[in-house]
Amino acid sequence: MLTVNAYAASSSDAPLEPVTITRRDLGPKDVLIEIKYSGICHSDIHTVRGEWGPIKHPLVVGHEIAGIVAEVGADVSRHAVGDRVGVGCMVNSCRECENCLAGEEQYCLNGNTGTYGSVDADGTITQGGYSTHVVVDEDFVLHIPEALDLATAAPLLCAGITTYSPLRHWEAGPGKKVAVVGVGGLGHMAVKLAHAMGAEVTALSRSLSKKDDALRLGADHYFATGDPETFEKLKSSFDLIVNTVSAPIDLGAHLGLLRRNGTMVNVGAPAEPLPLRVFTLFSNRRSFAGSGIGGIRETQEMLDFCAEHGVSPDTELIDASYINEAWKRVLSSDVRYRFVIDAATFA
């Protein structure tokens, strides 16, 4: 087994520290990836702190992985040594249920295997991308097009697909009015992607502090939700609202912004329950939905779309020694808009 350098949390309230972990020997369909860059996602923090349920420590997180194929198993046909590849939020699924067969492995009815914190096929706990190498089944490895820089491509494997999937499913495009709630790690990608799809995009954030950024990212309009007049001005305006905020918001007020047959979809995942008065949905036949990541097929589609349209996240490249400080800044919304770790510094 390969021993590699990584950063792990030893408990829910401990700082991340350098460790060594082992990666399994390559099976016939496995790919060994030399990780070049690993994005920091708010999900990493939620998971380590047990906010989404109990986990087993120590844990290496990270599910925005971009790197180079270093070795392949004997039966691998999709990837070759030297390929630019990525790994997102899952590394396996049952492959047999209705959802998996439909190419929606993220909704595997038997539970997909997360890139970190999940029980793998051999009974071990999966360890993520805050490390120098990872071994993944070839079916869950993505091709990163040459047009995408590896460092800025890493956050596409979570932030990109998490926002692309609902925009694609609810058919954002020309003639559609899309609102994005929150201009952060997820929200800035939602603005960029909705704009690239041809929709009329409105960014909604608590204050006016990110107005210039949002307009630069591709928003056509910007409003502060901290201003009560915003909800009156925009009443019954949008076909689709993508809520990227991982904290409670006034659902009733935001749902009131939907026009007839409009949908508000949550991709942010607050730890607290969100209260909803069902009568809010009756007016205008509104819908309230949730969306996870995408399947492997859709994730590859997203990467190809971003390469074709020149879409990439705004990133700040950091050394591994800065991870704990970066987490503090994520929690205080002090990043524009995604931290990416240079994996060479894990060594």
Side-chain angles (χ1 to χ4, degrees):
M1 299 178 72
L2 181 66
T3 298
V4 304
N5 292 327
Y7 265 62
S10 60
S11 70
S12 62
D13 56 0
L16 275 69
E17 296 177 328
V19 297
T20 57
I21 59 174
T22 56
R23 297 298 191 183
R24 68 173 183 265
D25 291 330
L26 260 66
K29 291 199 64 182
D30 282 338
V31 176
L32 173 64
I33 301 167
E34 180 184 355
I35 299 174
K36 295 297 185 180
Y37 302 98
S38 185
I40 291 179
C41 178
H42 203 155
S43 301
D44 302 340
I45 303 172
H46 283 304
T47 302
V48 161
R49 296 189 170 184
E51 294 170 351
W52 288 347
I55 64 163
K56 185 175 181 180
H57 295 90
L59 184 65
V60 176
V61 292
H63 56 204
E64 297 179 341
I65 299 168
I68 304 294
V69 175
E71 189 177 348
V72 298
D75 296 337
V76 169
S77 60
R78 298 184 179 186
H79 310 283
V81 172
D83 284 357
R84 294 155 42 92
V85 294
V87 178
C89 301
M90 57 184 171
V91 292
N92 213 334
S93 70
C94 79
R95 328 256 188 128
E96 298 176 349
C97 71
E98 176 185 358
N99 290 351
C100 285
L101 293 176
E104 302 274 13
E105 301 95 342
Q106 75 276 28
Y107 302 128
C108 176
L109 295 175
N110 295 301
N112 69 62
T113 304
T115 304
Y116 58 75
S118 286
V119 179
D120 213 343
D122 61 1
T124 61
I125 302 298
T126 55
Q127 305 292 330
Y130 290 14
S131 61
T132 58
H133 295 76
V134 66
V135 176
V136 181
D137 184 288
E138 71 162 336
D139 292 341
F140 288 79
V141 177
L142 290 305
H143 289 282
I144 295 180
E146 291 291 337
L148 294 175
D149 177 71
L150 272 184
T152 56
L156 294 177
L157 279 305
C158 178
I161 187 56
T162 297
T163 50
Y164 180 90
S165 187
L167 290 168
R168 185 83 164 80
H169 179 77
W170 277 280
E171 299 179 338
K176 293 291 184 72
K177 293 186 176 182
V178 175
V180 176
V181 182
V183 184
L186 291 176
H188 93 289
M189 282 307 308
V191 169
K192 287 189 175 193
L193 288 165
H195 173 74
M197 291 175 178
E200 181 179 337
V201 184
T202 297
L204 301 173
S205 191
R206 286 175 295 180
S207 71
L208 295 174
S209 65
K210 293 183 178 179
K211 180 176 181 179
D212 290 344
D213 265 9
L215 297 178
R216 173 183 60 82
L217 294 167
D220 299 287
H221 317 285
Y222 182 101
F223 291 89
T225 56
D227 180 357
E229 292 187 8
T230 290
F231 293 97
E232 188 59 35
K233 289 177 184 177
L234 300 179
K235 186 177 180 180
S236 300
S237 294
F238 301 110
D239 300 288
L240 176 64
I241 299 173
V242 180
N243 177 25
T244 70
V245 178
S246 291
I249 64 169
D250 186 338
L251 284 183
H254 286 79
L255 286 165
L257 304 181
L258 291 171
R259 65 200 309 179
R260 180 169 52 86
N261 295 327
T263 298
M264 178 173 171
V265 56
N266 251 56
V267 295
E272 308 91 338
L274 296 177
L276 172 65
R277 287 188 75 243
V278 71
F279 286 101
T280 309
L281 303 176
F282 293 170
S283 178
N284 270 346
R285 196 163 53 206
R286 301 177 177 118
S287 297
F288 180 54
S291 178
I293 55 172
I296 296 300
R297 181 177 60 203
E298 188 175 49
T299 305
Q300 188 63 59
E301 177 187 300
M302 177 274 304
L303 289 169
D304 295 340
F305 177 90
C306 289
E308 180 182 353
H309 294 273
V311 175
S312 61
D314 289 15
T315 60
E316 181 177 335
L317 188 64
I318 64 170
D319 287 354
S321 60
Y322 192 73
I323 290 174
N324 291 299
E325 184 63 30
W327 277 28
K328 293 177 185 177
R329 288 178 56 190
V330 169
L331 292 171
S332 62
S333 300
D334 179 26
V335 54
R336 297 200 175 177
Y337 281 96
R338 209 71 168 178
F339 285 116
V340 175
I341 308 162
D342 180 353
T345 63
F346 289 124

